Amino acid sequence: MEEIGAWVAGFAGTLAVYPIAAVVNAIAGIVPPVPSTALFVGLGALNATSGEPSFLGLVLAMIAGSIAGDLILYALASRFDFRQWPLLSSPRAQRRLERIDARMESESLQVLVISRFIPLGRTAVSLIAGAGRMSLRDFTGALTTASVVWALYSVGFGWLTARWIPVPTIVAVIIAIVLSIVLGFAISRLGDWWIERRAED
């Protein structure tokens, strides 16, 4: 366990961690199962215990990856009919798309922030926006704000967890990731409820 922790801490101290983490976060918007939030929570915990990687560097990398990935989805949606994509073709996914679409017109910023914590939410919002719901300028502005909130939450959660629980580095990382998954699940349920309730108003 100590050897793994030392290797992880060593890699986290290199400059390569920032572009790699940013790319992973960009891919996560296009391929939702990629656990980008857990990655940044874990790296935030590493910062708290070892000082590396840089807290600010992680936040900026997550913001950059979030914006890049979502803008790619926006561009794809402006050219192709995304509602027939296999990932979004299930009845449940279609209902979620309809509910999100219903809220985008009047509460786009809130929807973009909350969608970061809902399974397929980030992907769905970017695609709906690109399909004509929002102009590129409006989407980019709201996306930037949502990405900043999400990055500060993810990296900050890992940092705070590791600070509050005095255990070895690798254990702190694991605990932070597990707690973030549990909290993320609760937030996603609340987000689903909020979007569904608002869509019915």
Side-chain angles (χ1 to χ4, degrees):
M1 182 72 74
E2 292 182 1
E3 292 180 358
I4 295 176
W7 181 87
V8 171
F11 173 71
T14 66
L15 291 178
V17 70
Y18 305 110
I20 290 174
V23 169
V24 169
N25 197 28
I27 293 173
I30 305 168
V31 186
V34 175
S36 61
T37 301
L39 170 64
F40 281 91
V41 168
L43 291 173
L46 274 177
N47 172 269
T49 58
S50 66
E52 295 288 349
S54 161
F55 188 98
L56 178 60
L58 289 175
V59 170
L60 293 177
M62 190 169 187
I63 292 170
S66 174
I67 293 174
D70 288 22
L71 287 178
I72 290 173
L73 286 171
Y74 183 98
L76 289 173
S78 67
R79 295 175 178 270
F80 304 103
D81 181 11
F82 67 88
R83 293 180 183 274
Q84 301 306 314
W85 293 1
L87 186 65
L88 301 171
S89 61
S90 70
R92 181 179 181 182
Q94 289 293 315
R95 286 194 301 271
R96 177 166 288 162
L97 287 174
E98 293 172 0
R99 291 166 183 166
I100 291 175
D101 194 8
R103 301 315 315 157
M104 287 286 286
E105 184 172 359
S106 60
E107 298 175 294
S108 56
L109 177 57
Q110 296 94 316
V111 172
L112 257 77
V113 172
I114 292 172
S115 70
R116 311 285 105 174
F117 303 93
I118 300 175
L120 285 178
R122 176 185 170 194
T123 303
V125 167
S126 299
L127 292 173
I128 290 172
R133 175 56 68 188
M134 297 178 69
S135 69
L136 178 58
R137 179 179 178 179
D138 290 343
F139 177 69
T140 302
L143 169 61
T144 300
T145 301
S147 298
V148 170
V149 172
W150 188 35
L152 289 173
Y153 162 83
S154 301
V155 180
F157 185 92
W159 189 90
L160 288 173
T161 301
R163 282 287 184 174
W164 288 342
I165 305 176
V167 293
T169 297
I170 191 64
V171 177
V173 170
I174 293 172
I175 291 175
I177 291 173
V178 171
L179 289 178
S180 74
I181 291 173
V182 173
L183 181 58
F185 178 81
I187 294 174
S188 72
R189 298 285 75 77
L190 288 172
D192 266 337
W193 170 83
W194 181 82
I195 289 175
E196 181 175 357
R197 180 180 67 84
R198 299 291 288 178
E200 293 175 351
D201 288 348

